C-alpha cells in the first residue's frame, strides 16, 4: 500500500531537487526503418515504464527513483498477470517486420516475460528460498546514492520502513518448505539488515534537517521495522531444528528445472550438457598446459627436490609454493584499492579501451546484508543514474579465524589478486557496465544477460595478460591457468551438484585436488553452489562465446582487425546475450 502523505512529501522535495539527469532519459530508438519499428519503439518505452513500476526494488538498482517510497511485496499472481498482459501486447509486433536491433530487443523482452512466468509459476523460489525476502538493498541504495537531498531520501526511507512489517508477514506466509542452506543465509543476511537499520540510519537522521515530527515518525517506523525483522529471524530460527533433521527441501533443483533456468538465464545455443562436456574437455587441456609450466618452474623453486610423479601433484605442489606470496590480512582491502589506478593506467597506455574518468569507482567492505555468497562483487548503477558511484565490494578478513584468513590470502595471492581486480573492476565488470549504460538501446542495458557480463570479465583477464600485464612471467601464467580452471570447474560443479547429485566430498575432490583451490575457497564455492543455480555456469559460457567471436572477426578482417575497436563496438550493445551481439557484429 502506498503511503500518500510521505509520497507527496518526497515528490515535493524532488520537484526542487531532481535526481540525476539520466532519470528522465527516454529510450533512444534505433533509426526507424519502417512504421513497425516506430511502433515497437513506443511499445518498448511503455514496457520499460511498466516494468519499473512493477518492480520498484529493481528500479532502484538501475537508478530509477520514481517509486523510491514503495516497498513492493512479491506476488506471484501479479507477476503472472504482468507477464501475460505484456506478452499479449508484444504479439502485436511481429518479429519479421522489425529491424535487426529491434528484433533482438524483442527477443530480450520476450525472454524476460517468459522467464518471469516460469519463475513465478513453476520455479517458485520465494517459497523455498527465504533469502529472497530481504529489504536491505533498497534501504542501502537510498542511504548511499546521493540522487536527491538527504531529507528527500529519508522520507522515502520512512515510507518504505512503514511497509516492512507487512513485507515480512507476507514472507512468513509464503514459505512452504525452505532449504536449510537458504534459511541459514537468510538469518545471516537479516542480521545485516538489522545493522543497516541501526547506526547508519540513525547517523543519516542526525545529519538531515528534518523537523522534529518527521524525525520522530522515522525513528518510530525504524523501530517497528527492526521488530519485524527480528520476528522474521525468530520464525526462521524456529524452522532450523526440523531443517537440520533433513525435513526441508533439497537445494538441488534437478535436471528439468536446471535446463529451463539455464535457457532463460544464459541465453545461449548450447544445452547445459553440451557446456558441461566442453568444460570437462577444457579442464584436461588446462591440466596439460599447467604441467608444462610447472615443469619449467620446478628447478627455480625446488632446485634440490625431484618433482612428484603424478601431474596433479606436480602442479599442486608448485601452486602451494607460489601461494605463500600474499599480502597481510589487514592490508587486503587496501591492496585492492592500490591496484585499481595501475590497471586503469595500463588500459589507457596500451589503448585497449576508452575509460571514462568521470564515472566513480569506490572500493568498500561488503555491506553485511549482502555477504555470504561471494567474497567480491560489483554494485553498479543502472542507465537511469549512470553518474552514481559504482561500489567494488570486498569481504574483509579481520573477523575470520587465523587459519581461514591464511587460506583466503593464499587463494588470493600476489598473482590471483591482480586477476580478481581485473575481473571485478578494470577492464572487467566496472568498465563493461559503464559502457552498458551508454547503449542506444535501453532494453539491452536494462535486461542484462549474466553470461555476457561475467563472460566479459573473464575475457578481460585473458586480454590483459595477452597485452603483457604480468610480463608474461611463468608464475603469472600458471596462476592465471589456475584461475581459468576455476571458471571451468564452476560449470562442472554447478551442473554436477544440481543435476548429477554430486556430494560435498566429490565437490571437495574436484575443487581441492583438480582445481588446486585452498580449503577456504573450496568451502565457499560449495556453499555458493548450494545457494545459487546456473549462475556459476555463466562465466565459462560467456567467455567462450566472446573469445570465439573475437577470433572469428580477427580471421574475417585480417590486418584490418583492431582490438580496441572490437572491444568498444562489442560493449556498445549493452549487456545483450553474446549470441545476439554476434549477429550484429558479423552481419
Amino acid at each position: 500500500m502506498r503511503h500518500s502523505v510521505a509520497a507527496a512529501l518526497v515528490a515535493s522535495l524532488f520537484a526542487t531537487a531532481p535526481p540525476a539527469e539520466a532519470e528522465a532519459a527516454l529510450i533512444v530508438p534505433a533509426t526507424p526503418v519502417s512504421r513497425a519499428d516506430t511502433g515497437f519503439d513506443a511499445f518498448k518505452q511503455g514496457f520499460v515504464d511498466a516494468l519499473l513500476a512493477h518492480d520498484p526494488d529493481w528500479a532502484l538498482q538501475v537508478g530509477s527513483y520514481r517509486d523510491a517510497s514503495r516497498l513492493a511485496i512479491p506476488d506471484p499472481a501479479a507477476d503472472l498477470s504482468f507477464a501475460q498482459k505484456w506478452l499479449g501486447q508484444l504479439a502485436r509486433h511481429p518479429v519479421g517486420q522489425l529491424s535487426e536491433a529491434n528484433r533482438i530487443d524483442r527477443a530480450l523482452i520476450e525472454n524476460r516475460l517468459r522467464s518471469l512466468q516460469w519463475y513465478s509459476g513453476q520455479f517458485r523460489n520465494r517459497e523455498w528460498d527465504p533469502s529472497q525476502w530481504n529489504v536491505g538493498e533498497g534501504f542501502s541504495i537510498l542511504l548511499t546514492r546521493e540522487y536527491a537531498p538527504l531529507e528527500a531520501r529519508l522520507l522515502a526511507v520512512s515510507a518504505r520502513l512503514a511497509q516492512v512489517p507487512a513485507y515480512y508477514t507476507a514472507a512468513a506466509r509464503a514459505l512452504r518448505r525452505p532449504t536449510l542452506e537458504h534459511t541459514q543465509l537468510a538469518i545471516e543476511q537479516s542480521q545485516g539488515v538489522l545493522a543497516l537499520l541501526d547506526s547508519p540510519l540513525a547517523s543519516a537522521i542526525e545529519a538531515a534537517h528534518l523537523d522534529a515530527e518527521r524525525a520522530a515518525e522515522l525513528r518510530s517506523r525504524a523501530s517497528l521495522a527492526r521488530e519485524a525483522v527480528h520476528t522474521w529471524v525468530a520464525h526462521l530460527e524456529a524452522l532450523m531444528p526440523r531443517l537440520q533433521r533433513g525435513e526441508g527441501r533439497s537445494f538441488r533443483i534437478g535436471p528439468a528445472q536446471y535446463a529451463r533456468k539455464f535457457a532463460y538465464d544464459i541465453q545461449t545455443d548450447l544445452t547445459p550438457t553440451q557446456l558441461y562436456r566442453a568444460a570437462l574437455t577444457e579442464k584436461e587441456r588446462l591440466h596439460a598446459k599447467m604441467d608444462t609450466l610447472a615443469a619449467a618452474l620446478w628447478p627455480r623453486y625446488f632446485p634440490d627436490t625431484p618433482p612428484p610423479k603424478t601431474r596433479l601433484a606436480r602442479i599442486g605442489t608448485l601452486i602451494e609454493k607460489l601461494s605463500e606470496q600474499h599480502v597481510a590480512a589487514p592490508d587486503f582491502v587496501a591492496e585492492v584499492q592500490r591496484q585499481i589506478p595501475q590497471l586503469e593506467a595500463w588500459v589507457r597506455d596500451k589503448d585497449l579501451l576508452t575509460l571514462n574518468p568521470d564515472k566513480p569507482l569506490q572500493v568498500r567492505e561488503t555491506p553485511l546484508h549482502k555477504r555470504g555468497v561471494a567474497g567480491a562483487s560489483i554494485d553498479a548503477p543502472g542507465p537511469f543514474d549512470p553518474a552514481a558511484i559504482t561500489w567494488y565490494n570486498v569481504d574483509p578478513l579481520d573477523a575470520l579465524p587465523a587459519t581461514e584468513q591464511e587460506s583466503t590470502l593464499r587463494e588470493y595471492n600476489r598473482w590471483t589478486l591482480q586477476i580478481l581486480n581485473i575481473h571485478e573492476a578494470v577492464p572487467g565488470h566496472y568498465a563493461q557496465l559503464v559502457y552498458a549504460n551508454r547503449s542506444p538501446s535501453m532494453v539491452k542495458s536494462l535486461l542484462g544477460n549474466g553470461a555476457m557480463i561475467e563472460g566479459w570479465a573473464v575475457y578481460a583477464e585473458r586480454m590483459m595478460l595477452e597485452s603483457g600485464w604480468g610480463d608474461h612471467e611463468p608464475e603469472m601464467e600458471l596462476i592465471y591457468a589456475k584461475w581459468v580452471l576455476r571458471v571451468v570447474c564452476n560449470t562442472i560443479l554447478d551442473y554436477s551438484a544440481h543435476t548429477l547429485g554430486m556430494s560435498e566430498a566429490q565437490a571437495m575432490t574436484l575443487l581441492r585436488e583438480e582445481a588446486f583451490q585452498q580449503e577456504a575457497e573450496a568451502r565457499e564455492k560449495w556453499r555458493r553452489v548450494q545457494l545459487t543455480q546456473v549462475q556459476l555456469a555463466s562465466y565459462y559460457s560467456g567467455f567462450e562465446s566472446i573469445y570465439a567471436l573475437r577470433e572469428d572477426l580477427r580471421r574475417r578482417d585480417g590486418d584490418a582487425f583492431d582490438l580496441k575497436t572490437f572491444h568498444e563496438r562489442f560493449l556498445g550493445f549493452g549487456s545483450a546475450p553474446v549470441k545476439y551481439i554476434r549477429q550484429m557484429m558479423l552481419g
Side-chain angles (χ1 to χ4, degrees):
M1 176 183 288
R2 286 181 180 269
H3 290 259
S4 56
V5 175
L9 288 169
V10 173
S12 67
L13 281 169
F14 281 177
T16 57
E21 185 176 313
E23 170 69 68
L26 298 177
I27 293 174
V28 179
T31 303
V33 296
S34 66
R35 292 177 62 184
D37 280 314
T38 302
F40 187 68
D41 286 334
F43 164 82
K44 287 192 294 185
Q45 185 69 61
F47 168 74
V48 168
D49 287 344
L51 188 60
L52 292 169
H54 179 73
D55 191 347
D57 279 349
W58 173 74
L60 283 179
Q61 293 175 36
V62 299
S64 175
Y65 310 109
R66 178 184 60 195
D67 291 315
S69 61
R70 184 160 63 92
L71 175 64
I73 296 176
D75 181 356
D79 289 345
L80 292 169
S81 176
F82 178 90
Q84 183 176 7
K85 171 187 173 181
W86 284 96
L87 281 169
Q89 294 194 26
L90 184 66
R92 301 173 190 168
H93 300 274
V95 65
Q97 299 179 18
L98 301 175
S99 66
E100 180 180 49
N102 269 337
R103 286 199 301 271
I104 292 168
D105 280 358
R106 188 188 189 283
L108 295 178
I109 292 170
E110 182 172 6
N111 184 79
R112 178 62 170 253
L113 293 170
R114 297 203 182 280
S115 172
L116 183 60
Q117 282 183 321
W118 179 76
Y119 270 91
S120 297
Q122 298 177 51
F123 197 51
R124 305 181 70 87
N125 51 325
R126 293 193 191 99
E127 294 181 359
W128 50 264
D129 177 2
S131 72
Q132 294 290 312
W133 297 86
N134 186 332
V135 300
E137 185 63 6
F139 287 113
S140 179
I141 289 172
L142 292 173
L143 290 173
T144 57
R145 282 194 199 164
E146 297 179 356
Y147 66 88
L150 177 59
E151 291 75 19
R153 291 183 281 125
L154 283 177
L155 289 177
V157 167
S158 182
R160 279 184 155 246
L161 285 169
Q163 300 163 74
V164 169
Y167 179 95
Y168 281 113
T169 297
R173 289 174 179 165
L175 281 189
R176 296 290 182 269
R177 190 171 169 235
T179 76
L180 170 65
E181 295 81 9
H182 292 98
T183 303
Q184 291 170 326
L185 176 64
I187 292 170
E188 293 171 19
Q189 292 187 336
S190 293
Q191 300 302 328
V193 174
L194 289 168
L196 179 66
L197 298 182
D198 194 357
S199 56
L201 178 56
S203 298
I205 296 171
E206 288 297 322
H209 300 289
L210 294 174
D211 62 55
E213 181 181 353
R214 289 176 184 166
E217 180 182 57
L218 207 165
R219 291 189 178 95
S220 174
R221 288 176 172 178
S223 177
L224 291 173
R226 286 193 296 270
E227 287 182 20
V229 179
H230 278 297
T231 301
W232 167 243
V233 171
H235 177 72
L236 297 178
E237 288 176 338
L239 299 175
M240 285 297 292
R242 67 180 184 85
L243 297 181
Q244 290 167 337
R245 293 194 298 268
E247 297 176 17
R249 172 189 164 123
S250 169
F251 73 86
R252 306 178 198 276
I253 63 174
Q257 286 195 324
Y258 190 91
R260 289 294 297 278
K261 194 173 192 297
F262 184 94
Y264 287 128
D265 292 2
I266 303 296
Q267 298 183 71
T268 177
D269 292 329
L270 292 177
T271 67
T273 303
Q274 288 171 328
L275 186 68
Y276 167 71
R277 289 172 179 166
L280 291 174
T281 300
E282 181 65 5
K283 177 165 71 78
E284 175 61 27
R285 189 194 70 80
L286 285 167
H287 280 164
K289 177 181 179 179
M290 295 170 78
D291 195 27
T292 300
L293 289 166
L297 284 167
W298 191 268
R300 182 182 304 179
Y301 290 91
F302 300 100
D304 302 319
T305 305
K309 293 182 179 180
T310 67
R311 179 173 68 178
L312 296 182
R314 288 190 294 271
I315 299 169
T317 302
L318 194 49
I319 286 177
E320 282 295 321
K321 184 66 176 177
L322 296 180
S323 299
E324 295 172 0
Q325 300 186 43
H326 59 71
V327 300
D331 302 328
F332 186 70
V333 176
E335 179 62 18
V336 170
Q337 294 171 318
R338 188 186 70 82
Q339 289 183 15
I340 304 303
Q342 298 174 349
L343 293 168
E344 292 172 335
W346 183 274
V347 170
R348 286 193 299 267
D349 293 346
K350 297 295 182 179
D351 205 25
L352 299 172
L353 192 67
T354 301
L355 299 176
N356 189 337
D358 298 325
K359 303 300 181 185
L361 171 68
Q362 290 189 20
V363 180
R364 67 174 177 182
E365 295 185 0
T366 307
L368 291 172
H369 70 277
K370 295 175 70 71
R371 295 186 192 177
V373 180
S377 63
I378 286 285
D379 280 342
F384 291 100
D385 189 7
I389 292 172
T390 296
W391 296 104
Y392 180 0
N393 302 314
V394 182
D395 286 5
L397 307 181
D398 307 359
L400 298 178
T403 55
E404 195 170 338
Q405 280 188 19
E406 178 64 17
S407 181
T408 302
L409 290 167
R410 290 173 69 88
E411 182 69 28
Y412 293 93
N413 54 57
R414 167 186 166 187
W415 297 277
T416 309
L417 191 56
Q418 297 174 52
I419 301 168
L420 175 69
N421 290 330
I422 291 170
H423 180 103
E424 297 291 346
V426 181
H429 287 321
Y430 161 67
Q432 184 266 318
L433 293 168
V434 168
Y435 270 82
N437 285 342
R438 294 163 44 193
S439 171
S441 166
M442 189 68 77
V443 169
K444 293 183 181 71
S445 295
L446 289 172
L447 306 187
N449 173 252
M452 182 275 177
I453 294 169
E454 293 297 354
W456 169 263
V458 177
Y459 166 79
E461 305 153 15
R462 173 74 171 266
M463 174 262 289
M464 287 287 280
L465 266 67
E466 288 175 338
S467 73
W469 181 272
D471 297 325
H472 299 293
E473 63 178 7
E475 289 88 348
M476 174 61 93
E477 294 291 339
L478 179 62
I479 296 299
Y480 170 68
K482 176 195 167 183
W483 181 276
V484 178
L485 192 59
R486 174 196 291 200
V487 169
V488 170
C489 288
N490 279 350
T491 292
I492 296 170
L493 174 68
D494 198 59
Y495 182 86
S496 300
H498 286 289
T499 73
L500 302 178
M502 172 182 270
S503 67
E504 181 177 0
Q506 290 170 325
M508 289 300 106
T509 297
L510 171 70
L511 300 174
R512 292 284 287 117
E513 298 179 19
E514 298 183 54
F516 314 106
Q517 295 178 13
Q518 295 291 321
E519 184 72 20
E521 178 67 21
R523 294 291 173 194
E524 182 273 334
K525 195 57 60 70
W526 173 247
R527 186 184 193 211
R528 185 168 168 183
V529 81
Q530 295 174 87
L531 297 172
T532 65
Q533 318 86 23
V534 172
Q535 195 273 336
L536 283 171
S538 64
Y539 301 83
Y540 181 55
S541 172
F543 165 71
E544 284 292 291
S545 300
I546 294 170
Y547 198 80
L549 171 60
R550 189 191 80 173
E551 294 307 291
D552 286 347
L553 283 165
R554 190 192 297 276
R555 283 189 289 270
R556 187 194 72 177
D557 297 345
D559 293 341
F561 178 83
D562 179 75
L563 188 62
K564 182 179 182 181
T565 300
F566 165 74
H567 293 155
E568 297 191 341
R569 188 173 176 221
F570 178 85
L571 294 178
F573 293 110
S575 299
V578 182
K579 70 176 183 178
Y580 295 134
I581 298 178
R582 167 179 278 271
Q583 290 177 23
M584 291 183 283
M585 293 189 73
L586 287 175

